[in-house]
C-alpha cells in the first residue's frame, strides 16, 4: 500500500521560514560576491557605499578583468594576452591550457578574416610545438586547421569554432583564471545556492506536499497540487 505524502499548509510552511534567521550581512556578502565575480564594477561600488559591504578584491581589478574579457569576446586576442600579462604575468605561465586556448582563438580569428597564409604560418610556428607535447592540444589544432579545407565553413564538422559561442567560452576560461589568481572564486555563489534550492525541493517533494518556489525570479511560493 502506497504511503501518502505529508501535507504542509502554506501557513505552516511560512511559519517555518520565519523561524530561519539569516543575517543581513551574509546576504549582502552574497550579493557583493555575485557583482564582483560577474564584473559589475559600477553596481558593486554603489552597493559598497549603500550597504557598507566591502568587496573581497580591489574593484579596480574588475575593470581590468572585464577589459580582458571584452577583448577576447571581440576577437582581439593579442590585446587580451597583453592585458593579462599587464594584470599578472604569472597567469598564463601557470595556466598552459588557457594560453593554448587563447592561441587557438587567435588562429580562429585569422581564419575568420581569410588570412590563410598567416594562419598556416601561425599554426606551424606557435601551435604545432604545443601539440607535440599534448595530445589533447594536437586534436584541437587539427580541428581548427580543418576549417581551412572547407570553402563553406558552415558545412565543416568543426564550423562551430567560428561561432561567437567559442569566443565566449574562451573568455569565460580566461575570466576564471584571473579570478583564481586573485584568490577569488571563479564562479559566483548565488547560482550554486539556487541549484541547491532546486535540488532540496525535489528531494523534499518525494516525501511531502508543501508550498514551493517554482519561479526563481519572483521567489513566490506556490501551493502544491493535492
Amino acid at each position: 500500500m502506497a504511503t501518502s505524502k505529508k501535507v504542509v499548509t502554506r501557513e505552516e510552511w511560512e511559519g517555518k521560514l520565519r523561524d530561519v534567521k539569516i543575517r543581513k550581512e551574509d546576504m549582502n556578502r552574497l550579493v557583493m560576491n555575485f557583482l564582483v565575480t560577474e564584473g559589475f564594477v559600477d553596481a558593486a561600488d554603489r552597493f559598497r557605499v549603500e550597504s557598507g559591504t566591502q568587496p573581497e578584491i580591489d574593484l579596480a581589478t574588475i575593470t581590468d578583468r572585464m577589459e580582458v574579457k571584452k577583448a577576447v569576446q571581440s576577437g582581439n586576442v593579442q590585446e587580451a594576452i597583453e592585458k593579462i600579462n599587464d594584470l599578472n604575468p604569472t597567469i598564463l605561465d601557470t595556466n598552459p591550457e588557457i594560453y593554448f586556448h587563447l592561441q587557438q582563438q587567435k588562429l580562429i580569428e585569422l581564419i575568420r578574416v581569410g588570412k590563410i597564409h598567416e594562419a598556416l604560418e601561425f599554426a606551424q610556428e606557435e601551435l604545432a610545438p604545443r601539440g607535440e607535447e599534448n595530445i589533447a592540444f594536437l586534436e584541437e589544432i587539427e580541428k581548427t586547421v580543418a576549417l581551412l579545407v572547407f570553402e563553406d565553413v558552415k558545412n565543416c564538422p568543426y564550423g562551430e569554432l567560428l561561432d561567437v559561442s567559442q569566443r565566449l567560452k574562451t573568455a569565460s576560461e580566461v575570466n576564471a583564471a584571473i579570478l583564481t589568481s586573485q584568490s577569488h572564486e571563479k564562479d559566483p555563489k548565488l547560482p550554486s545556492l539556487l541549484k541547491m534550492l532546486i535540488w532540496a525541493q525535489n528531494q523534499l517533494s518525494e516525501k511531502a506536499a508543501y508550498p514551493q518556489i517554482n519561479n526563481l525570479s519572483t521567489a513566490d511560493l506556490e501551493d502544491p497540487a493535492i
Side-chain angles (χ1 to χ4, degrees), residues 45-141:
D45 191 40
R46 289 196 299 271
F47 189 69
R48 176 188 63 81
V49 174
E50 295 172 1
S51 68
T53 305
Q54 295 302 315
E56 299 174 358
I57 62 176
D58 184 354
L59 291 182
T61 63
I62 300 179
T63 300
D64 296 332
R65 176 162 53 88
M66 289 300 99
E67 287 181 353
V68 172
K69 189 174 182 180
K70 181 179 179 181
V72 177
Q73 292 174 339
S74 301
N76 300 319
V77 181
Q78 187 57 43
E79 178 186 343
I81 292 174
E82 293 172 0
K83 287 182 178 296
I84 293 171
N85 287 331
D86 289 341
L87 188 61
N88 185 341
T90 67
I91 292 176
L92 297 181
D93 290 339
T94 56
N95 291 275
E97 185 173 0
I98 297 296
Y99 184 61
F100 169 77
H101 284 155
L102 281 168
Q103 295 290 70
Q104 179 190 21
Q105 190 63 48
K106 188 172 182 179
L107 174 59
I108 292 171
E109 300 305 333
L110 289 172
I111 296 173
R112 187 194 308 277
V113 296
K115 295 184 177 180
I116 309 304
H117 178 72
E118 190 174 343
L120 287 171
E121 188 176 80
F122 181 79
Q124 183 177 8
E125 295 180 0
E126 299 294 336
L127 292 179
R130 298 183 180 277
E132 294 175 357
E133 301 170 358
N134 188 309
I135 186 64
F137 290 174
L138 179 59
E139 292 175 356
E140 291 300 316
I141 294 170

Side-chain angles (χ1 to χ4, degrees), residues 5-219:
K5 293 182 180 180
K6 175 181 175 58
V7 178
V8 182
T9 66
R10 175 180 286 269
E11 183 179 0
E12 290 174 321
W13 191 249
E14 289 180 342
K16 293 179 181 296
L17 292 178
R18 284 194 294 269
D19 290 337
V20 178
K21 305 301 180 183
I22 301 177
R23 297 192 311 161
K24 185 175 182 181
E25 292 81 1
D26 292 333
M27 293 297 295
N28 287 344
R29 280 198 291 270
L30 186 62
V31 172
M32 181 61 80
N33 171 267
F34 178 82
L35 295 175
V36 168
T37 306
E38 292 299 305
F40 299 114
V41 60
D42 292 336
D45 191 40
R46 289 196 299 271
F47 189 69
R48 176 188 63 81
V49 174
E50 295 172 1
S51 68
T53 305
Q54 295 302 315
E56 299 174 358
I57 62 176
D58 184 354
L59 291 182
T61 63
I62 300 179
T63 300
D64 296 332
R65 176 162 53 88
M66 289 300 99
E67 287 181 353
V68 172
K69 189 174 182 180
K70 181 179 179 181
V72 177
Q73 292 174 339
S74 301
N76 300 319
V77 181
Q78 187 57 43
E79 178 186 343
I81 292 174
E82 293 172 0
K83 287 182 178 296
I84 293 171
N85 287 331
D86 289 341
L87 188 61
N88 185 341
T90 67
I91 292 176
L92 297 181
D93 290 339
T94 56
N95 291 275
E97 185 173 0
I98 297 296
Y99 184 61
F100 169 77
H101 284 155
L102 281 168
Q103 295 290 70
Q104 179 190 21
Q105 190 63 48
K106 188 172 182 179
L107 174 59
I108 292 171
E109 300 305 333
L110 289 172
I111 296 173
R112 187 194 308 277
V113 296
K115 295 184 177 180
I116 309 304
H117 178 72
E118 190 174 343
L120 287 171
E121 188 176 80
F122 181 79
Q124 183 177 8
E125 295 180 0
E126 299 294 336
L127 292 179
R130 298 183 180 277
E132 294 175 357
E133 301 170 358
N134 188 309
I135 186 64
F137 290 174
L138 179 59
E139 292 175 356
E140 291 300 316
I141 294 170
E142 291 174 346
K143 290 178 182 179
T144 307
V145 174
L147 295 172
L148 296 170
V149 179
F150 293 80
E151 293 184 5
D152 183 4
V153 293
K154 292 182 179 179
N155 293 322
C156 174
Y158 311 114
E160 71 275 2
L161 291 173
L162 291 170
D163 290 344
V164 174
S165 60
Q166 180 66 24
R167 287 181 176 177
L168 298 180
K169 178 182 177 182
T170 304
S172 179
E173 290 181 13
V174 172
N175 185 60
I178 295 174
L179 284 168
T180 300
S181 74
Q182 297 171 339
S183 300
H184 192 282
E185 300 96 338
K186 62 181 182 180
D187 297 309
K189 295 177 180 178
L190 185 57
S192 296
L193 289 175
L194 293 177
K195 290 178 181 178
M196 189 181 298
L197 168 65
I198 294 172
W199 177 85
Q201 286 191 153
N202 290 337
Q203 293 295 306
L204 185 56
S205 293
E206 296 179 2
K207 301 179 180 179
Y210 65 98
Q212 296 187 39
I213 297 175
N214 295 318
N215 187 333
L216 296 178
S217 64
T218 63

